Amino acid sequence: MNIENTTAQMRKGVLEFCILSLIAKEDLYTTEILNALKEGEMLVVEGTIYPLLTRLKNADLLSYRWEESTSGPPRKYYAITPNGELFLAELQNAWKTLNQAVKKITTHKKKVNHE
Amino acid sequence: MNKTININLASTFFHIDEDAYRILKQYLTSLERTFQNTQGKEDIMNDIEMRIAELFQERKKHTSYVFNTADVEEVIQVLGQPEDFISGALDEEQNEDHNARTKNTTHTSKKFFRDTDDRYIGGVASGLAHYLGIDPTWMRLALLFAAVFSAGTFFMVYVVLWILVPEAKTTADKLRMKGEPININNIEKKIKEDFEKVSEKFKDDYEDARSTVKKKSENFFGQLEHFLKSLFRILFKIIGLIIVFVAFMGCIGWFLSFFLVSVFGMSNSFINPYIDFFNTSNTFSILVWIAIFLVVIIPLLGLFALGRKFINPRAHFFGLGGRWTIAGLWIGSVFILSIAAVNQIRQFAFTADHYTQELLLTQPSDTLLLKATIEKKTISQNPIIRSDWVFRWRHHRFFGHYDERVRLQIKPNNNPENLLEFYTTADGPKWDLAKQYAQNINYNWQEEDHTLWLDPSLNLEIQDRFRRQSLEMTLYLEEGQILYIDRSVLKMLDRTIPNDQDYSRSRMGDHYWKMHNDQLECLDCVPKKEI
């Protein structure tokens, strides 16, 4: 097992959740999403995001529109769909449960280790 | 100096140098292959292209800036390798192959493939060597020893591995076989910037995944076919070796018997007595002998060439012109021989005979001695070399001292006289010629002091040698004539000569015989057992 692999797997699991959460707050175009994710160290290489966005779009969780840009090519702005909001709500619940479960398990483990 | 190319990324215009362009193009193509079976491939590609345009825009220092390889590599670094794309966006329904591949990109685990690029038989040894990380030569030696010391059973293991272990066909397979991580850099290293092959690789992967089961069975039969093919190849080579050997020995044998023996004059050879066999002019005769030589040696050479071809399919002989010449020579030889054959047959078209009779001087009161003149005596008695001497000498050396064509029968004569009758026959292209040949037969015989000397062979004119001449002599003896048959004439005697002992000709020699009641009666034989 190598640590990079494991963390990559962990990040991968929550990547969709993060993207949906970001877009739910406000409409974003691809570079903004990328920057936000990179800031949060959720992303190693940008390439990962594109198939994911397309898949979310195809699943009718996201929609997009084109907007002209002053500094470059037109931008693809993503917005969340009603379906996406439902999905996000479910994900938030799941995340909470998961978070608690993980916390509980990991802290318990620490106690055992300390004693 | 480097060529600059203008490109258009997401409706934005960029200058890029040739090398950078090639890398970028390769990158995009491999991405396209990666997403080939992913839904929304066009969207993804558009997004990526757009992002590249954006990243280029950020790096563009001035309007006429030319992007170089470093820029492109930097951008690719940001976007990531195609493998990373998949690992990040793994569809649940995506096939196992991709699973394995993503695992390999991070883990670089090895897989056991047969290395058909480096193989002696099936590439099992080198494949196993790659898998275990040792030198293929050692693995081969190890397998060879294993095969020898297991009395060949290990060979069966080899065959099973050969059939079951897949061949490393695609670049990805080859990299996985050697345990190298499969990413664009390595693939590039591996196949030396061959863009076509990179796309092939992804295509292959895709197709592999789609028809794994089908491929598996094809593999097995492919292996079987391959195995049988190599078996046949070996068999062919062995057959070729045998053919070459036979042809070579045939050539040597024919050459020696023909040239060294006959032409250079060793006696007793196969051809020597017949060197003038053909009733033709001398020049044509020589031609005929050359034709006979060629007619045998050319097919032998052809056989030799065929055998060589069996051993090495690329072997060439004589070139095209040479081959035609040889074929022409052979056909010419056959033509000459057929003319000779027709000519030869014509020589025997007619058979004629000739009778003569000679009255013997010996009277019944004397005993007639029957003897054969032996060869030496004839020669010594005739110091002048006759025209047929050479022939006679050779002839007898070859057939022994007696000529099958000279026969002697002994019959009773109703008249009171002893007669020797000569009946000669000969063949010729015309009846009168045949008749002439029959008359021309010269036979040496002599009667002196009640001894009848008979020559065991015929004397023939040198130009008339092969006319199928024969001589049947009949000795007519009057009643009561006593005859002594010397053993020297036995071989000339007819097979059955009527006698009271029922002796065959071989037992009639060295006895006194008396002509009585139409048969010979033995005078000094051990009496037959009385019944």
Side-chain angles (χ1 to χ4, degrees):
Chain A
M1 286 296 272
N2 78 27
I3 186 75
E4 263 176 47
N5 191 26
T6 313
T7 50
Q9 293 287 333
M10 285 163 92
R11 275 200 298 267
K12 204 175 73 185
V14 294
L15 198 54
E16 292 170 40
F17 177 45
C18 292
I19 292 168
L20 283 174
S21 304
L22 281 168
I23 296 169
K25 277 183 248 168
E26 52 173 330
D27 292 0
L28 294 170
Y29 76 99
T30 320
T31 309
E32 285 174 325
I33 299 168
L34 282 170
N35 289 339
L37 288 173
K38 273 186 183 168
E39 231 171 87
E41 287 184 20
M42 282 301 295
L43 215 58
V44 180
V45 289
E46 293 187 1
T48 324
I49 205 81
Y50 300 104
L52 207 54
L53 283 172
T54 309
R55 204 153 56 88
L56 291 171
K57 188 207 81 190
N58 287 341
D60 198 28
L61 303 174
L62 290 178
S63 65
Y64 68 88
R65 67 179 186 278
W66 290 101
E67 265 182 33
E68 288 299 321
S69 156
T70 46
S71 62
R75 288 168 177 177
K76 204 177 193 179
Y77 272 90
Y78 284 95
I80 197 157
T81 62
N83 265 346
E85 294 199 40
L86 284 175
F87 192 76
L88 181 61
E90 273 176 47
L91 280 180
Q92 276 164 343
N93 279 333
W95 175 250
K96 261 179 212 159
T97 330
L98 186 68
N99 202 17
Q100 280 164 2
V102 171
K103 225 180 241 169
K104 204 175 152 191
I105 290 165
T106 46
T107 46
H108 179 67
K109 229 182 179 177
K110 266 183 187 167
K111 270 181 197 166
V112 170
N113 285 344
H114 278 293
E115 282 165 8
Chain B
M1 199 185 79
N2 221 336
K3 213 163 97 183
T4 306
I5 293 163
N6 297 324
I7 57 164
N8 179 356
L9 280 174
S11 320
T12 319
F13 184 75
F14 297 103
H15 297 292
I16 185 167
D17 75 36
E18 206 180 8
D19 289 341
Y21 170 76
R22 196 176 41 72
I23 294 169
L24 186 63
K25 170 101 187 178
Q26 183 179 321
Y27 179 67
L28 286 173
T29 313
S30 55
L31 281 181
E32 214 164 313
R33 294 287 177 192
T34 312
F35 294 120
Q36 201 171 35
N37 50 351
T38 313
Q39 261 195 329
K41 173 192 151 200
E42 289 80 17
D43 282 339
I44 296 168
M45 287 312 293
N46 280 336
D47 287 352
I48 290 167
E49 207 172 291
M50 215 175 329
R51 179 64 181 155
I52 293 169
E54 210 171 42
L55 289 170
F56 272 17
Q57 201 72 37
E58 283 171 19
R59 280 168 177 73
K60 198 169 167 179
K61 282 141 195 161
H62 49 89
T63 42
S64 60
Y65 181 75
V66 176
F67 288 90
N68 55 31
T69 34
D71 292 320
V72 171
E73 269 163 8
E74 220 174 288
V75 167
I76 290 171
Q77 195 71 45
V78 171
L79 282 164
Q81 296 290 346
E83 294 79 34
D84 304 324
F85 280 55
I86 296 160
S87 71
L90 191 69
D91 280 353
E92 273 69 33
E93 69 265 29
Q94 258 173 332
N95 56 56
E96 262 189 20
D97 193 57
H98 275 154
N99 254 326
R101 220 145 58 93
T102 43
K103 218 166 78 192
N104 277 317
T105 45
T106 46
H107 223 65
T108 69
S109 74
K110 286 182 187 177
K111 200 162 180 265
F112 185 13
F113 282 104
R114 286 184 298 110
D115 186 0
T116 46
D117 293 341
D118 176 24
R119 66 166 180 191
Y120 275 80
I121 307 171
V124 173
S126 52
L128 200 60
H130 291 315
Y131 188 67
L132 299 174
I134 56 173
D135 192 281
T137 311
W138 292 113
M139 182 49 73
R140 283 197 192 98
L141 283 172
L143 286 185
L144 197 67
F145 272 112
V148 168
F149 286 109
S150 65
T153 38
F154 210 81
F155 184 72
M156 294 311 293
V157 175
Y158 185 93
V159 171
V160 168
L161 284 174
W162 188 0
I163 291 166
L164 293 182
V165 175
E167 176 187 346
K169 268 185 185 158
T170 65
T171 314
D173 286 345
K174 281 168 192 168
L175 288 169
R176 215 179 307 165
M177 174 175 70
K178 289 176 180 169
E180 285 173 37
I182 308 161
N183 59 39
I184 294 294
N185 285 338
N186 266 327
I187 290 166
E188 188 176 353
K189 231 192 312 176
K190 179 87 184 155
I191 57 179
K192 301 263 178 202
E193 306 170 349
D194 194 336
F195 148 70
E196 277 301 322
K197 277 191 184 167
V198 175
S199 51
E200 281 285 285
K201 172 225 158 193
F202 283 101
K203 201 177 159 194
D204 283 355
D205 275 3
Y206 170 63
E207 249 143 42
D208 273 354
R210 276 190 51 165
S211 55
T212 318
V213 180
K214 200 177 145 212
K215 274 250 164 105
K216 272 247 163 78
S217 60
E218 275 175 3
N219 266 355
F220 174 74
F221 286 108
Q223 287 319 315
L224 196 69
E225 189 196 334
H226 186 85
F227 178 72
L228 287 176
K229 265 186 190 164
S230 46
L231 202 72
F232 274 119
R233 253 203 306 275
I234 292 165
L235 213 67
F236 253 59
K237 284 194 178 180
I238 291 169
I239 292 169
L241 219 62
I242 292 168
I243 292 174
V244 163
F245 181 75
V246 167
F248 182 74
M249 294 315 273
C251 283
I252 295 281
W254 184 241
F255 191 84
L256 284 182
S257 65
F258 206 92
F259 274 100
L260 298 183
V261 180
S262 355
V263 174
F264 296 110
M266 291 187 200
S267 60
N268 280 2
S269 76
F270 165 57
I271 285 151
N272 243 335
Y274 300 100
I275 200 84
D276 303 309
F277 177 69
F278 298 101
N279 302 306
T280 50
S281 73
N282 242 359
T283 358
F284 189 68
S285 182
I286 288 167
L287 255 173
V288 167
W289 284 112
I290 290 171
I292 288 175
F293 176 74
L294 289 178
V295 123
V296 174
I297 204 89
I298 287 171
L300 284 174
L301 285 175
L303 204 64
F304 186 81
L306 182 80
R308 285 280 293 125
K309 202 99 184 157
F310 266 62
I311 295 168
N312 177 13
R314 276 184 287 278
H316 283 299
F317 286 92
F318 315 122
L320 197 64
R323 262 179 270 169
W324 279 110
T325 312
I326 288 165
L329 274 176
W330 193 77
I331 290 165
S333 302
V334 170
F335 183 69
I336 287 169
L337 286 187
S338 26
I339 289 175
V342 168
N343 184 48
Q344 208 58 30
I345 289 162
R346 268 185 49 231
Q347 298 297 325
F348 301 101
F350 293 91
T351 306
D353 50 13
H354 180 66
Y355 272 105
T356 45
Q357 279 189 342
E358 296 283 345
L359 196 66
L360 297 184
L361 303 170
T362 309
Q363 299 299 308
S365 52
D366 298 310
T367 299
L368 181 65
L369 262 73
L370 202 54
K371 280 188 172 177
T373 42
I374 58 164
E375 196 62 24
K376 271 180 195 160
K377 190 174 169 186
T378 313
I379 294 165
S380 59
Q381 277 181 347
N382 298 278
I384 301 154
I385 294 168
R386 296 179 307 192
S387 61
D388 63 339
W389 179 80
V390 175
F391 168 68
R392 281 166 61 90
W393 177 75
R394 281 185 177 165
H395 188 89
H396 292 135
R397 283 292 292 271
F398 191 65
F399 281 112
H401 281 277
Y402 294 89
D403 192 333
E404 286 292 316
R405 299 176 301 179
V406 178
R407 282 275 156 265
L408 176 66
Q409 175 60 272
I410 301 167
K411 281 182 178 173
N413 194 357
N414 297 326
N415 304 320
E417 56 190 3
N418 295 323
L419 272 178
L420 188 57
E421 186 191 82
F422 301 92
Y423 173 68
T424 55
T425 58
D427 287 359
K430 287 171 182 169
W431 188 83
D432 53 338
L433 276 172
K435 185 82 182 166
Q436 202 183 312
Y437 294 138
Q439 283 169 359
N440 282 355
I441 292 170
N442 184 4
Y443 184 67
N444 288 335
W445 70 282
Q446 231 179 342
E447 189 195 14
E448 51 176 37
D449 300 333
H450 314 306
T451 306
L452 189 59
W453 293 96
L454 297 175
D455 192 333
S457 62
L458 298 173
N459 294 329
L460 304 168
E461 295 296 319
I462 193 145
Q463 68 272 23
D464 297 341
R465 271 169 299 172
F466 301 100
R467 299 293 174 192
R468 235 163 60 81
Q469 292 98 332
S470 70
L471 168 64
E472 286 172 35
M473 286 180 286
T474 314
L475 181 60
Y476 289 100
L477 295 177
E478 63 172 291
E479 177 76 15
Q481 175 68 49
I482 294 170
L483 175 73
Y484 179 79
I485 300 177
D486 188 78
R487 64 168 72 217
S488 61
V489 289
L490 286 182
K491 281 185 177 166
M492 292 165 67
L493 288 180
D494 230 34
R495 266 167 220 289
T496 48
I497 288 169
N499 65 80
D500 67 336
Q501 301 290 321
D502 289 336
Y503 276 1
S504 66
R505 66 168 178 184
S506 56
R507 293 180 66 188
M508 292 184 78
D510 296 345
H511 285 299
Y512 286 94
W513 300 87
K514 186 182 177 186
M515 182 54 77
H516 184 64
N517 291 337
D518 293 349
Q519 66 170 2
L520 289 174
E521 284 179 5
C522 190
L523 299 177
D524 59 348
C525 297
V526 179
K528 255 198 331 188
K529 229 181 183 180
E530 295 294 331
I531 302 162

